[in-house]
Amino acid sequence: MTATEAGTGAGAGADAGDGARWAPGDHILWRYRGNADGDRVHICRPVTVVQDTAELLAVWMASGTECVRPVLADGTQVHAEPLATRYTRPRTTVRSRWFGSGVLKLARPGDPWSVWLFWDRGWVFRNWYVNLEEPRTRWSGGVDSQDHFLDISVHPDHSWEWLDEDEFAQAQHVGLMDAATARRVREAGLAAVETILAWASPFRDGWEHWRPDPRWSAPALPDDWDRTPARTPS
């Protein structure tokens, strides 16, 4: 199914465990576990399912969606903290609204990355963003992963660049990522680059022309957003 064929039905909280699929319009959670405490969810984003097939999960995070994100224990924004202490100072989580335009997230089962699409005001396409991460694990309420610090920006002219290499190096320096994992992440990034250079799916599939169903409302953030579910393979 292509971007233009994705459905626009409305659903809520479908159970996609045990191999089931979510329907377009269903609300699920896209979550990340912390790198220092790998079982604790520290990022949670309610999203609307655009497409869920054996080949691709596509979800939409609307502007203004209430999410959970990490901050330092004293309230300092993570990226406002100097890199030297960014990953060693105590943290907590806060609820906040997603600012700016919405984000379309695309993930192929088993890929150690997801591809995000960003637009500026007026649906002017800005870029693709390759987020290197653990392959997502599905559960009845959504998908869980763990961020791997290193990212790639892909521009409309198909050029690309590495992002956050300083954070990737610092994560290794402070022990959040061992050498073997770092090698695996870099290899995953190089594989993503090969996909970009070949202009393979999902880049070639026209998702930059996709638009959300205007009837969709932003999903609510549930009180038990950090619950520990039984997981099923993605």
Side-chain angles (χ1 to χ4, degrees):
M1 187 181 297
T2 66
T4 56
E5 293 169 335
T8 56
D15 186 343
D18 301 324
R21 295 288 169 188
W22 293 297
D26 282 343
H27 293 169
I28 64 172
L29 301 178
W30 187 289
R31 310 194 306 181
Y32 290 95
R33 301 183 304 277
N35 300 88
D37 46 0
D39 289 330
R40 181 173 178 267
V41 174
H42 73 152
I43 295 174
C44 180
R45 297 167 179 166
V47 295
T48 301
V49 174
V50 175
Q51 173 180 317
D52 183 24
T53 69
E55 292 76 33
L56 185 73
L57 172 64
V59 303
W60 170 245
M61 183 171 63
S63 178
T65 299
E66 186 179 23
C67 303
V68 171
R69 61 181 176 86
V71 296
L72 300 188
D74 64 2
T76 300
Q77 304 301 312
V78 170
H79 284 89
E81 178 70 13
L83 186 61
T85 51
R86 188 173 299 170
Y87 301 122
T88 56
R89 290 189 59 192
R91 293 190 180 193
T92 187
T93 56
V94 296
R95 290 175 175 241
S96 65
R97 299 283 175 180
W98 183 262
F99 61 88
S101 59
V103 181
L104 180 67
K105 299 188 177 190
L106 311 175
R108 298 185 300 185
D111 275 355
W113 66 76
S114 56
V115 177
W116 306 357
L117 284 78
F118 290 89
W119 290 264
D120 292 322
R121 189 181 300 275
W123 287 103
V124 176
F125 182 64
R126 184 192 313 165
N127 68 294
W128 294 267
Y129 180 93
V130 179
N131 195 71
L132 294 168
E133 60 191 38
E134 283 295 314
R136 291 132 311 278
T137 304
R138 294 172 68 103
W139 55 285
S140 63
V143 294
D144 286 358
S145 183
Q146 189 174 63
D147 185 75
H148 282 159
F149 302 98
L150 189 62
D151 305 297
I152 304 169
S153 179
V154 184
H155 305 292
D157 65 0
H158 300 191
S159 63
W160 62 275
E161 60 183 321
W162 295 106
L163 298 177
D164 303 325
E165 291 196 272
D166 57 343
E167 295 188 345
F168 182 57
Q170 185 67 14
Q172 297 169 64
H173 179 71
V174 300
L176 291 180
M177 180 179 292
D178 61 30
T181 301
R183 285 193 298 271
R184 179 165 54 87
V185 172
R186 180 65 75 173
E187 289 168 359
L190 293 172
V193 168
E194 289 300 315
T195 299
I196 296 164
L197 294 175
W199 210 244
S201 293
F203 301 100
R204 69 184 181 196
D205 296 334
W207 285 102
E208 64 271 27
H209 306 299
W210 174 88
R211 299 293 183 266
D213 188 323
R215 297 170 295 177
W216 286 350
S217 58
L221 178 67
D223 291 337
D224 60 348
W225 57 267
D226 59 347
R227 64 191 181 275
T228 302
R231 298 187 175 96
T232 59
S234 61

